[in-house]
Amino acid sequence: MAIFKPGYLHIERESLGPHDFSYEIVIKYQVVQDPKEGKSMQFDMSGQINGKEFKESFTLPKDMAFDFARVAFKIAVKNGMPKSATIWSMHKQYDEMFEDVRKQLGHELGDPVKPEHLE
């Protein structure tokens, strides 16, 4: 199950057996003004993976905010999500979130990425 609203994504998966995994994750996000990077997006993740609660936040500068799924997945793996997990079932919600992040930040296609952010 996945629910998307601007600024909010809720994903949930029930375990299908004893060797499977479950999760319920909420990601809330908003535009913030970082003193060093300027306009940025703050992401607040919380929920549970296989019954283990977690809560973490991360901030990405405007030019890197579209990398949110990679960062969120790394946090999920760190908190118990199998590295082999896929998110294909929520592709529609990911696309909606991606577009919302773009609109909130005022990012246009072709806007440059700072080279130092690629290191």
Side-chain angles (χ1 to χ4, degrees), residues 24-94:
E24 182 174 3
I25 300 171
V26 172
I27 302 174
K28 297 178 183 177
Y29 56 95
Q30 63 182 346
V31 174
V32 295
Q33 192 66 29
D34 183 273
K36 182 180 174 189
E37 296 290 348
K39 199 175 206 181
S40 301
M41 188 66 74
Q42 178 176 319
F43 297 86
D44 300 305
M45 286 180 67
S46 61
Q48 63 81 21
I49 299 170
N50 289 326
K52 177 186 169 198
E53 299 280 329
F54 76 97
K55 184 175 184 177
E56 289 197 39
S57 297
F58 60 97
T59 303
L60 295 173
K62 178 181 177 179
D63 63 333
M64 297 300 292
F66 306 104
D67 200 22
F68 66 85
R70 183 185 64 80
V71 176
F73 187 72
K74 285 176 79 172
I75 290 170
V77 167
K78 181 174 86 174
N79 285 282
M81 178 85 67
K83 288 181 181 180
S84 61
T86 63
I87 61 167
W88 291 112
S89 63
M90 58 170 265
H91 196 273
K92 177 182 179 280
Q93 291 79 13
Y94 168 81

Side-chain angles (χ1 to χ4, degrees), residues 103-114:
K103 284 181 183 177
Q104 285 194 38
L105 289 171
H107 186 84
E108 297 295 327
L109 295 175
D111 282 355
V113 173
K114 292 180 180 178

